[in-house]
Amino acid sequence: MKIANNNLTYSNPSGTLKLWDLGGNIALFSDSATGERGLAVKVTAGETISKGNILVYLIGGTSGKVTKCPTTGVSHSMPVGVALTGGNTDASIWMATNGLVQVLPETDITAAFGNILITSPDTSGLAGQYSTVPISDHWDEVGHWAET
């Protein structure tokens, strides 16, 4: 597939994020400074979101907007992506749906290579970790630490 004249470049605190537009609300992304890369979708923030927050679409409430993954409730086990860019309420942001991205851990977490990231039971939008996920928390899994 050849993509011509659709290279959108955004700046972020960790380097230059490049997005190759595939139709206005979906893009391939790459950041040479962080190594992040994958597929992203443009979404609307339902609250202030920071780069690296784990996101959900609310079930009830602010329909059609993403928020930080809550610590409890039905949405806790339904993460849909990670914020690639941050923004305030009602801002358009890019959310990574797959690929390699930086995720914000809970403050007491020291990332261990290969450990499993889960939606935090303590802080909205952040990641906890397990070396082995208990069956009861399987649906909370987001991915694995690829670096420390």
Side-chain angles (χ1 to χ4, degrees):
M1 172 191 315
K2 183 177 179 183
I3 302 171
N5 299 322
N6 287 330
N7 186 359
L8 307 174
T9 302
Y10 293 90
S11 294
N12 68 28
S14 61
T16 300
L17 174 65
K18 292 184 179 178
L19 293 113
W20 290 272
D21 187 353
L22 300 175
N25 291 321
I26 188 167
L28 296 174
F29 69 89
S30 177
D31 189 324
S32 58
T34 63
E36 294 172 291
R37 57 198 177 274
L39 182 67
V41 294
K42 190 183 289 185
V43 294
T44 302
E47 64 180 316
T48 299
I49 305 276
S50 297
K51 179 186 178 337
N53 279 144
I54 299 169
L55 304 175
V56 297
Y57 273 105
L58 284 180
I59 296 174
T62 311
S63 181
K65 298 179 182 179
V66 295
T67 60
K68 292 178 261 191
C69 187
T71 58
T72 60
V74 176
S75 293
H76 175 73
S77 296
M78 297 186 182
V80 293
V82 175
L84 191 57
T85 59
N88 293 324
T89 303
D90 293 327
S92 288
I93 64 170
W94 287 97
M95 176 181 71
T97 58
N98 61 15
L100 298 173
V101 295
Q102 294 179 339
V103 178
L104 292 172
E106 294 175 319
T107 56
D108 62 342
I109 296 286
T110 300
F113 181 78
N115 271 5
I116 301 159
L117 278 76
I118 61 156
T119 54
S120 170
D122 301 314
T123 308
S124 294
L126 301 185
Q129 75 175 341
Y130 283 118
S131 57
T132 304
V133 177
I135 292 173
S136 61
D137 291 340
H138 172 74
W139 295 110
D140 301 343
E141 185 176 338
V142 178
H144 298 261
W145 294 119
E147 62 181 34
T148 57

